Amino acid sequence: MSQFDKTLSVSLKPQDPASLALALQQYRQHLNDGSAFRLNGSLLFNIEFVNQQLRPLNRDDAGANRPLLEHALDAARRDHRLSFYTEPVLFAAALNFPELLDELKATAEAMVAFSRRRNDSSDLFIDDYNVFGVEALYMLARQYPELSHYLAAFLVPYWNLESFYQPVLLLGKLVEEFGWRRELIHAYLHCDGEQNRRCFFQTTEGNSVNLSLLEHFARHPDDYPWFKAQLLKRLEQTPLLAYANEQPLEQTQPVLEFFYSLGDWPVEADIDDIELWRDRVKQQLILGRRVEDEALSLLAQLSEQSQPLVIVAEAWREDDRHCLWQTGEEQALTEDYDWDQYDNEPDSDYAALFYDLEESEDYLRIDELEELDAEVGEAMLCALAELPKSLGACAYAAYRLSRLNSPHSLSPEADEAAALLHWLAQQLPLQFQHHIFYEGGEYQKKRREHRLLKSWLTDIDTEGDVAKMAQIASEILYTSKDGKRIALLWSNGNKGFQNGLLALYFLLCAPELEAPQWQALKTLAQRHWQLWLTLDPLQLIEKIYYCWADYAFYPAIDDEHLEAELRQNLLKLGVSEAQLDAHCLLTAQQVAAYRPADKRFWQGYITRLSRFAEADPEDNSMIDRLWQQQQQLLQALDSSRELPRLSFFGHLKANFPETPLPQAFFELFDLCLRQSFSKSFTEEQAQNLCHQLKAYLTSGEGLEPLTPQATAELQDWVPCRSDDPADAAELSDFVWLLPEAQGRGLALFLAGLGTQSLYWLHRPSVETAYVNHLIAEGSLSMAQRWEDQSVGHKRHSDYDTGLAFQSAKENWALGWLDSIGVSPQSTAYFAVSQGRAPAPFLKHLADEGRLPETSQLLTIDERVRLLKLLAQAGADAELFSAFLQDESAAVRQLAKDLAQGS
């Protein structure tokens, strides 16, 4: 049985109208009760229409309408044109008999009702390529244009226009054939997806194929009043289908939706900037009247209607959209299906046991290795042949080997040690070669140094210096654009090469063995370990720690004795105290933000912070051991994630304001500054801008030449290292960390890049800065940072606490920016367009008479929100009088109501 074969059949005589009528009635029943579909991941159309000999209907059964059927299949299908097409044949055959029109209309209504209940094209498939209903409804529209609205309504908003665009293009074919007759305008009004409606006059790529309705109304103005009357009638009878979970229903504007898609409005805004583009469309004229005014007028006529104008489809209101089909009967339908053809599970016991050692997307944990070891027991020699050829298997084999001849040994026999050594000696070098030279890098055999590195890692007789080998490896391995991050170590795909690093760790922790292959294998393992330790020590430490970690997303270990043991092992393998301290410092800082984390992490972090601050920056002699440790720690932190490192500097500044930030902080700022410019400008431009900005930050003079108005290069420039990882620093992250005057200068520079340039107030560093501000002023202690009821863990689990925190953070940041001279245009724009709870700050501007003129600054919807926020904050009624002359009727009406106190 094919995956897409149908298990239900409806038999009929294609030339008998009575038989066709009965088949249509049965079809409607299956659509109404859902039995026309079965569950196959998503829903799958499950009916085959057959003749009385149980042969599936074919093109000949369409009779005189075979050409119509052929055209529909060609127009509606891109692939598998003649796959599962008996439903269109049924309609084509029935269309031969005018007396069956009522039956066809009733069936079309059932098809549309089902599609609207689902509002998801993925629930309408007949196979991997096509959906049910489309050809049938298209043929109905071709024969009876006044019934085109069935096809338009069937094409619901949640339609995959990238993969299944052919059906929506049928709308344009109808306009191409019949023109914008009123039957097609009626169809437009029953099509609920904005992008789908555009396909009446353009392709899914936006290429014009017909006159738009906007152009049609300009040529045929008499059709426009009819359009408005029919729009009212449509919304009175049938609510607009909304996109589930994308925005609150009250924010959907059902009347305006149909105006937005009338054509290509001539506005100065990118259609991808949806909010701005729609705001500009509202201000356009249609036959001499503003679009917004037209929509509000129509909406006012609908205001007394009891039923909603917008609804979410029935399926999207259910916890399980497919619960109707998850029944014993439905399961029985799939029992005959040969699911084993897709079953790749191993068939032997040992192969099944080792199955999870294939390259996985999760970290390998010690409890998994221990559990596996217990199941293998003393049968390793028998199981070894089934061990997969993967780094995960190498990690387990090395783990097993490390436990032999130890107090925990399960099988002390020398035969097992020899067998494991033999297996590792074969597989480990091959796996490392594949991941380093081919999957994780670009090995060029013609280059002598590449051959040298490969030989050094595979042949103990090849000599080489670790530093030199690391330099060659860094040229071969794929890295981030700045060259600082090795993709193999930072990739989520294989969890940063953890299995490979664990294999080395366990192998090097194994007791000395007398087997002849041991010394050679250990030597090569030491070389690999030294290579990765040189390339990125913190990533190596992190991946090893994850094996024993007690948290899914943090390499942190609760058991102090276990961590101390692991630390000692790593020290023996060449990891330095400073590198381990750097790892523990940043891990403790990050895991402390996680509510279930052991409190010792935050306490330990504070202790390390204090110890760091105690070092005397004036004494860099060999005698001052604390100073040496500080410098070693800073050096180790150099390869760490940037945002946690900046958080450390921020905590240092907040808790120990008299301690100057180390030079490493300013070096990181310089790096971020250079990269922010170099990503967008030529080398010469970047150097000049960097020099100008640093001079301005030092002297406090020279801001004007660094504005977009004075320097053309800065127009539309966004200082964002967008192609870097999410935990890379941006310029804005330094605003509250630099010396006070420089921080103000940097904030003024960033704010001066345009009214929309305060996007960075949503950066995590602003939250850190706000909390540090509370610590610095003494209203919050560092020790209670995560226990505090307002800013601690509670804000993650309690919505009201979280909202209050976000509001306090944003109002503090906006207030600070306002105090240093950032223009009200910038702060007010951010507060209204992106702020979460900015009412207090907006009232502050209003009370001081500094609320900017908003007609050009804010969209209509944003001006409405501004008025609501001011009313929420208790602004004086007189303030709203200024908005009574606004060009938007919606703004004027709300301002009038608020001014009158209603």
Side-chain angles (χ1 to χ4, degrees):
M1 175 182 174
S2 164
Q3 181 181 359
F4 303 113
D5 283 348
K6 314 308 174 189
T7 62
L8 298 178
S9 62
V10 175
S11 63
L12 60 118
K13 293 180 182 179
Q15 289 77 38
D16 181 358
S19 179
L20 286 164
L22 181 60
L24 288 169
Q25 291 169 16
Q26 292 176 339
Y27 182 25
R28 290 200 298 275
Q29 181 60 42
H30 285 303
L31 286 169
N32 291 334
D33 64 20
S35 60
F37 294 81
R38 62 181 168 88
L39 197 58
N40 184 47
S42 55
L43 295 186
L44 183 70
F45 189 69
N46 195 39
I47 298 180
E48 191 94 84
F49 295 94
V50 300
N51 67 7
Q52 288 192 309
Q53 289 73 44
L54 303 184
R55 170 184 57 77
L57 300 183
N58 60 32
R59 288 170 290 177
D60 291 334
D61 293 318
N65 276 331
R66 174 166 175 164
L68 176 65
L69 173 67
E70 297 272 14
H71 170 75
L73 291 171
D74 286 339
R77 298 189 176 195
R78 184 180 58 173
D79 299 295
H80 289 233
R81 178 174 169 273
L82 297 179
S83 172
F84 303 109
Y85 70 103
T86 60
E87 181 216 39
V89 177
L90 169 67
F91 263 66
L95 282 168
N96 286 314
F97 303 97
E99 64 269 30
L100 293 180
L101 182 58
D102 286 343
E103 292 288 348
L104 287 166
K105 289 166 63 177
T107 307
E109 288 170 1
M111 295 160 73
V112 170
F114 183 85
S115 181
R116 283 178 59 85
R117 287 197 301 273
R118 305 312 300 172
N119 190 16
D120 189 346
S121 59
S122 67
D123 276 344
L124 309 178
F125 285 121
I126 56 177
D127 58 18
D128 262 346
Y129 301 93
N130 300 296
V131 297
F132 93 100
V134 172
E135 300 90 358
L137 297 175
Y138 177 60
M139 290 187 295
L140 188 63
R142 286 286 305 279
Q143 291 286 82
Y144 301 96
E146 66 272 18
L147 303 181
S148 299
H149 64 280
Y150 288 127
L151 174 62
F154 182 83
L155 301 169
V156 288
Y158 273 137
W159 197 278
N160 186 339
L161 290 175
E162 292 186 5
S163 302
F164 305 103
Y165 55 83
Q166 289 290 119
V168 294
L169 297 182
L170 298 176
L171 301 173
K173 293 183 182 297
L174 292 175
V175 176
E176 183 180 355
E177 182 171 357
F178 300 112
W180 276 115
R181 51 201 291 180
R182 289 188 172 182
E183 291 90 342
L184 269 298
I185 298 176
H186 180 68
Y188 172 90
L189 291 170
H190 281 78
C191 187
D192 281 0
E194 181 178 338
Q195 295 304 314
N196 294 351
R197 287 194 298 272
R198 291 182 175 278
C199 290
F200 277 95
F201 58 88
Q202 63 184 206
T203 66
T204 52
E205 290 83 18
N207 300 317
S208 179
V209 292
N210 299 307
L211 281 180
S212 69
L213 255 184
L214 190 61
E215 294 168 315
H216 173 80
F217 290 148
R219 299 184 183 190
H220 304 277
D222 290 347
D223 279 343
Y224 179 57
W226 185 87
F227 162 83
K228 292 194 291 182
Q230 292 300 308
L231 175 55
L232 287 175
K233 185 177 179 181
R234 181 260 143 102
L235 290 175
E236 287 170 348
Q237 295 175 346
T238 310
L240 181 74
L241 277 180
Y243 293 95
N245 303 323
E246 291 195 3
Q247 63 180 10
L249 286 185
E250 60 270 16
Q251 292 183 16
T252 301
Q253 301 169 319
V255 176
L256 277 166
E257 293 281 337
F258 289 93
F259 280 87
Y260 292 141
S261 54
L262 285 176
D264 288 327
W265 292 94
V267 297
E268 295 183 359
D270 191 326
I271 195 170
D272 292 330
D273 188 350
I274 296 176
E275 188 173 351
L276 180 61
W277 183 85
R278 289 186 168 189
D279 183 71
R280 298 297 182 260
V281 171
K282 290 179 188 178
Q283 301 173 43
Q284 294 293 299
L285 299 180
I286 180 167
L287 299 185
R289 288 178 58 83
R290 276 173 60 101
V291 167
E292 182 197 22
D293 294 341
E294 290 287 83
L296 288 174
S297 174
L298 292 172
L299 190 61
Q301 298 177 58
L302 293 166
S303 61
E304 296 181 0
Q305 181 172 313
S306 58
Q307 79 167 25
L309 300 178
V310 184
I311 60 169
V312 172
E314 179 183 308
W316 291 97
R317 298 196 298 267
E318 298 171 352
D319 293 334
D320 183 350
R321 298 196 302 117
H322 300 121
C323 60
L324 177 65
W325 290 270
Q326 293 174 341
T327 64
E329 180 181 353
E330 176 60 27
Q331 292 170 2
L333 291 175
T334 62
E335 284 180 0
D336 294 333
Y337 183 64
D338 183 17
W339 296 104
D340 289 340
Q341 63 177 307
Y342 297 104
D343 191 356
N344 294 320
E345 291 287 333
D347 51 9
S348 79
D349 290 341
Y350 289 126
L353 191 60
F354 295 141
Y355 185 70
D356 289 339
L357 292 177
E358 295 287 350
E359 302 305 327
S360 67
E361 295 183 357
D362 202 359
Y363 289 115
L364 187 61
R365 306 287 183 160
I366 191 64
D367 56 350
E368 297 174 51
L369 294 172
E370 291 172 345
E371 182 179 343
L372 185 58
D373 219 22
E375 292 191 52
V376 172
E378 298 185 4
M380 191 67 220
L381 288 173
C382 299
L384 194 58
E386 299 293 344
L387 206 58
K389 296 176 174 61
S390 69
L391 280 177
C394 290
Y396 171 65
Y399 167 78
R400 178 85 180 192
L401 187 66
S402 71
R403 288 168 59 81
L404 296 179
N405 299 321
S406 73
H408 306 290
S409 175
L410 295 173
S411 177
E413 299 173 4
D415 289 346
E416 180 181 330
L420 285 170
L421 274 175
H422 180 72
W423 189 91
L424 282 167
Q426 285 185 322
Q427 291 302 320
L428 195 59
L430 291 175
Q431 290 297 321
F432 271 103
Q433 284 185 61
H434 171 73
H435 283 82
I436 296 173
F437 296 112
Y438 301 106
E439 183 179 287
E442 188 173 351
Y443 175 73
Q444 298 178 30
K445 188 175 181 179
K446 293 182 178 180
R447 297 186 59 176
R448 187 186 66 81
E449 61 272 24
H450 287 202
R451 297 196 307 272
L452 175 62
L453 175 62
K454 188 173 183 180
S455 178
W456 184 71
L457 291 173
T458 56
D459 182 1
I460 61 171
D461 292 329
T462 302
E463 296 183 356
D465 175 68
V466 174
K468 176 63 177 177
M469 296 300 110
Q471 181 182 347
I472 299 172
S474 65
E475 297 171 0
I476 294 175
L477 292 164
Y478 300 132
T479 65
S480 57
K481 287 193 175 182
D482 60 8
K484 295 188 68 174
R485 296 187 171 197
I486 297 169
L488 194 59
L489 292 178
W490 288 82
S491 167
N492 276 327
N494 60 9
K495 289 301 178 186
F497 200 47
Q498 189 218 21
N499 286 341
L501 299 177
L502 278 177
L504 298 175
Y505 172 80
F506 288 127
L507 197 57
L508 295 175
C509 288
E512 290 292 330
L513 301 172
E514 297 180 359
Q517 292 174 307
W518 168 246
Q519 287 303 324
L521 184 59
K522 183 178 179 181
T523 298
L524 294 180
Q526 287 172 333
R527 290 181 180 182
H528 279 276
W529 179 268
Q530 291 166 356
L531 178 71
W532 295 113
L533 183 59
T534 305
L535 289 169
D536 198 330
L538 292 190
Q539 279 300 297
L540 181 146
I541 297 169
E542 178 179 298
K543 298 308 181 291
I544 301 301
Y545 260 69
Y546 259 119
C547 187
W548 286 270
D550 292 290
Y551 306 91
F553 305 108
Y554 306 98
I557 302 169
D558 286 342
D559 189 324
E560 295 184 65
H561 297 293
L562 178 60
E563 183 178 7
E565 182 180 344
L566 178 60
R567 185 183 181 96
Q568 286 303 311
N569 286 340
L570 289 171
L571 287 170
K572 292 176 184 177
L573 296 179
V575 179
S576 71
E577 288 274 7
Q579 290 163 346
L580 286 166
D581 286 344
H583 164 81
C584 293
L585 176 80
L586 297 186
T587 299
Q589 177 204 104
Q590 293 174 282
V591 76
Y594 181 51
R595 181 190 287 269
D598 193 306
K599 293 182 180 180
R600 80 173 182 87
F601 292 110
W602 189 241
Q603 294 166 355
Y605 177 74
I606 295 174
T607 300
R608 292 175 187 275
L609 192 72
S610 301
R611 190 180 305 146
F612 185 94
E614 290 172 5
D616 184 0
E618 301 299 325
D619 184 2
N620 59 359
S621 67
M622 294 296 292
I623 301 174
D624 191 349
R625 185 169 176 269
L626 208 55
W627 171 252
Q628 292 178 43
Q629 289 177 344
Q630 184 195 75
Q631 298 309 299
Q632 291 167 357
L633 177 64
L634 289 171
Q635 185 178 357
L637 286 171
D638 187 58
S639 63
S640 67
R641 293 176 171 85
E642 290 176 356
L643 284 186
R645 208 184 332 162
L646 281 184
S647 292
F648 170 68
F649 291 136
H651 292 146
L652 190 66
K653 182 175 181 178
N655 288 275
F656 304 99
E658 302 303 320
T659 300
L661 289 178
Q663 184 60 30
F665 163 77
F666 295 97
E667 291 172 357
L668 180 57
F669 173 66
D670 288 343
L671 173 68
C672 184
L673 189 62
R674 292 195 304 272
Q675 290 185 351
S676 296
F677 285 121
S678 64
K679 288 181 186 299
S680 305
F681 302 108
T682 64
E683 184 177 352
E684 182 178 357
Q685 288 175 322
Q687 287 180 352
N688 289 337
L689 289 168
C690 191
H691 176 75
Q692 281 183 272
L693 182 55
K694 289 187 71 174
Y696 159 66
L697 294 179
T698 301
S699 66
E701 298 179 353
L703 177 59
E704 195 278 332
L706 287 168
T707 60
Q709 295 79 11
T711 303
E713 293 92 336
L714 292 175
Q715 293 178 6
D716 301 320
W717 177 63
V718 178
C720 175
R721 300 157 76 191
S722 57
D723 54 354
D724 276 341
D727 54 10
E730 291 186 11
L731 279 180
S732 60
D733 297 324
F734 293 85
V735 164
W736 285 284
L737 295 177
L738 288 167
E740 186 175 349
Q742 293 186 31
R744 288 199 306 268
L746 180 60
L748 290 170
F749 165 72
L750 294 173
L753 294 173
T755 55
Q756 302 183 31
S757 61
L758 295 183
Y759 68 92
W760 49 271
L761 290 182
H762 288 312
R763 293 277 296 171
S765 58
V766 180
E767 176 179 318
T768 304
Y770 172 59
V771 174
N772 285 341
H773 158 74
L774 297 178
I775 292 171
E777 71 174 10
S779 58
L780 174 70
S781 72
M782 186 70 170
Q784 293 299 310
R785 189 262 181 269
W786 293 112
E787 305 300 320
D788 186 85
Q789 293 297 299
S790 299
V791 304
H793 290 129
K794 185 180 178 182
R795 64 186 173 81
H796 294 302
S797 58
D798 184 85
Y799 175 80
D800 292 334
T801 301
L803 184 62
F805 173 78
Q806 293 297 334
S807 175
K809 178 199 74 173
E810 282 186 0
N811 283 286
W812 167 77
L814 289 169
W816 183 83
L817 290 170
D818 184 57
S819 71
I820 67 171
V822 172
S823 71
Q825 285 82 1
S826 291
T827 53
Y829 175 84
F830 174 86
V832 177
S833 65
Q834 300 178 51
R836 292 180 177 88
F841 175 74
L842 292 169
K843 184 176 184 299
H844 161 72
L845 289 181
D847 288 345
E848 294 188 355
R850 295 191 297 117
L851 199 64
E853 202 284 321
T854 59
S855 60
Q856 299 302 313
L857 179 67
L858 303 175
T859 65
I860 293 170
D861 289 345
E862 288 167 349
R863 298 203 294 280
V864 167
R865 184 180 186 228
L866 170 62
L867 292 178
K868 291 179 178 179
L869 287 167
L870 290 172
Q872 172 190 329
D876 293 336
E878 296 179 2
L879 177 65
F880 303 113
S881 301
F883 293 88
L884 294 175
Q885 305 304 315
D886 195 281
E887 61 182 0
S888 165
V891 176
R892 292 197 303 271
Q893 183 60 52
L894 180 58
K896 180 180 177 182
D897 293 342
L898 293 173
Q900 294 174 351
S902 60

